Amino acid sequence: MVGRYCKLLAVGAVALVAATSMADAAFKLSGPAKIALVVFTKKNDGGWSQALDEARQRMEKELGVSIPVIENVPENATAIRPAVELLIQRGFNVIIGSAFGYSDTFKELAAKYPEVAFLNPAGTTNGPNLESFYGRTYESQYLCGMAAAGASKSGKLGFVAANPFGLVNWTVNAYAMGARQVNPKATVTVVFTGAWNDPVKERAAAEALAEQGIDVIGQHVDTPAVQLVAQEKGIYSTGHHRDLSEFAPKATQCSSVWVWDRFLLPEIKKIEAGTWEPSPYGAFLSIKEGGTDVACCGEAVPKEVADKVKATRQAIVDGKLQVYGGPLKDRDGKERVATGAVLGDADLWSMDWYVDGVISQQ
């Protein structure tokens, strides 16, 4: 996880880094599409990589093809390059990556193999045959915040996060804003672990939040440790990456889930048809476009709140609700988004402020 995100946030915006001029004509394969996936961890890690692998399985079913996966390919060129080149030598011409740390090597490989299509989630590099993409996770976290407030008796919510970077801060803020649509007095206390995947730190953070009387805990970290603590403590939680009710069915009331196949299937069909023209800025995907969605809602969420979550999701899909639409102030009263405006993508990726109701260490 660190390799996937930390440099990305240091430079500001995945959608704006390393813009590359594109060819005038759409990319065309020289033969039928033959797809493969390369992941930097084991494919059943319970989180990010497993979400990609599950998308792979759904694509296999939809396309009627076999899509092999190579696991445990670390985020360095000496590991990525031979794995991908072996696939290319075996005739694979659509390569799907899995990490920010693949960005530079995929850029080099795309230039070396212009007849091969490369797709990379959480990447920052793009080109005539290379497209990076990520999801607007604040949309799904907003919805999970609504569910969390519905399940909470105290109005005191918690959130376990890795680092106070833009793509984490936007989830924390959205979670709080969603919660306040259900309970205007709700608060969200966020604890940063300093690591994307550290179940020991995640457990400690969740236990500390529970000791404060917080009765629903959200997350933007990799493991289900938060869910397990919530179930042990008899409180509730919301998940990230996948539907984490798999690990804690009594505790989990909503999860922000990746639905990559909803984006990748149309892209692959464009590649097959010879109409694929990757954006020079990559793709920043809404729920409608196939970034994230929600698995909601658990039994602790009242029906009227669950119905409101469903209606709000549809409003987001229909473009009637912009989570970061103005007017919006931060918790210090400073205007961040004017009435009638929507926060720009660059400002999302560099977000270093919190909305009213967020209690943080910063």
Side-chain angles (χ1 to χ4, degrees):
M1 291 291 288
V2 173
R4 188 162 72 248
Y5 291 117
C6 61
K7 291 183 181 178
L8 178 155
L9 288 151
V11 294
V14 65
L16 297 176
V17 174
T20 305
S21 60
M22 311 302 269
D24 291 335
F27 172 82
K28 296 183 186 298
L29 289 176
S30 58
K34 193 174 180 182
I35 311 156
L37 171 66
V38 183
V39 295
F40 73 103
T41 61
K42 59 183 181 179
K43 65 182 181 181
N44 62 340
D45 68 345
W48 170 268
S49 291
Q50 189 163 340
L52 273 165
D53 188 61
E54 289 168 346
R56 176 191 67 85
Q57 294 173 47
R58 292 191 292 268
M59 288 192 293
E60 282 187 326
K61 185 176 180 180
E62 176 71 20
L63 297 171
V65 299
S66 175
I67 302 174
V69 56
I70 299 181
E71 304 174 74
N72 297 311
V73 179
E75 295 173 88
N76 61 72
T78 57
I80 300 163
R81 188 177 294 111
V84 172
E85 290 191 322
L86 179 60
L87 288 169
I88 293 171
Q89 289 167 15
R90 292 180 176 177
F92 291 94
N93 54 11
V94 179
I95 308 295
I96 303 171
S98 61
F100 165 79
Y102 284 21
S103 298
D104 290 342
T105 306
F106 265 40
K107 180 70 173 176
E108 294 169 3
L109 288 166
K112 184 176 180 180
Y113 299 100
E115 73 284 2
V116 176
F118 294 85
L119 295 146
N120 190 29
T124 60
T125 52
N126 298 281
N129 59 324
L130 166 63
E131 185 169 44
S132 293
F133 53 96
Y134 195 68
R136 297 181 183 272
T137 53
Y138 56 85
E139 295 178 338
S140 49
Q141 290 282 5
Y142 182 92
L143 299 172
C144 281
M146 294 176 66
S152 174
K153 291 182 172 62
S154 68
K156 295 172 64 177
L157 312 179
F159 203 93
V160 178
N163 296 290
F165 295 153
L167 68 81
V168 178
N169 292 337
W170 81 41
T171 65
V172 173
N173 282 334
Y175 198 80
M177 290 190 292
R180 288 199 159 194
Q181 287 299 309
V182 173
N183 178 357
K185 295 182 179 180
T187 59
V188 176
T189 300
V190 58
V191 175
F192 296 102
T193 65
W196 297 106
N197 188 317
D198 190 325
V200 174
K201 290 181 179 180
E202 292 163 28
R203 171 171 281 277
E207 288 175 342
L209 289 168
E211 288 171 4
Q212 297 176 39
I214 284 165
D215 57 4
V216 185
I217 307 175
Q219 69 185 79
H220 189 158
V221 285
D222 266 12
T223 84
V226 172
Q227 317 294 309
L228 296 173
V229 169
Q231 187 145 303
E232 292 165 7
K233 300 290 185 181
I235 59 177
Y236 300 113
S237 60
T238 64
H240 181 62
H241 287 323
R242 302 172 58 248
D243 182 357
L244 296 187
S245 62
E246 169 188 345
F247 301 98
K250 294 181 180 178
T252 307
Q253 299 301 306
C254 181
S255 290
S256 169
V257 298
W258 295 110
V259 288
W260 294 126
D261 49 303
R262 297 184 193 173
F263 167 70
L264 287 170
L265 278 168
E267 292 299 285
I268 289 169
K269 289 176 181 178
K270 291 176 190 174
I271 291 169
E272 290 178 320
T275 60
W276 186 53
E277 297 184 67
S279 165
Y281 307 108
F284 192 15
L285 308 168
S286 65
I287 289 176
K288 182 178 181 179
E289 295 165 322
T292 55
D293 208 331
V294 287
C296 193
C297 294
E299 293 181 355
V301 180
K303 184 180 184 303
E304 61 271 20
V305 175
D307 289 344
K308 188 173 183 180
V309 170
K310 182 178 179 181
T312 303
R313 177 193 177 280
Q314 191 60 49
I316 291 171
V317 169
D318 293 341
K320 296 177 181 178
L321 172 65
Q322 294 285 344
V323 172
Y324 282 106
L328 180 62
K329 296 180 180 179
D330 64 22
R331 64 185 177 188
D332 298 319
K334 179 180 178 180
E335 183 181 77
R336 294 291 181 167
V337 188
T339 301
V342 177
L343 195 66
D345 289 352
D347 291 323
L348 281 166
W349 287 98
S350 61
M351 185 177 286
D352 60 359
W353 49 271
Y354 299 103
V355 297
D356 197 23
V358 174
I359 302 167
S360 70
Q361 299 158 321
Q362 275 67 39

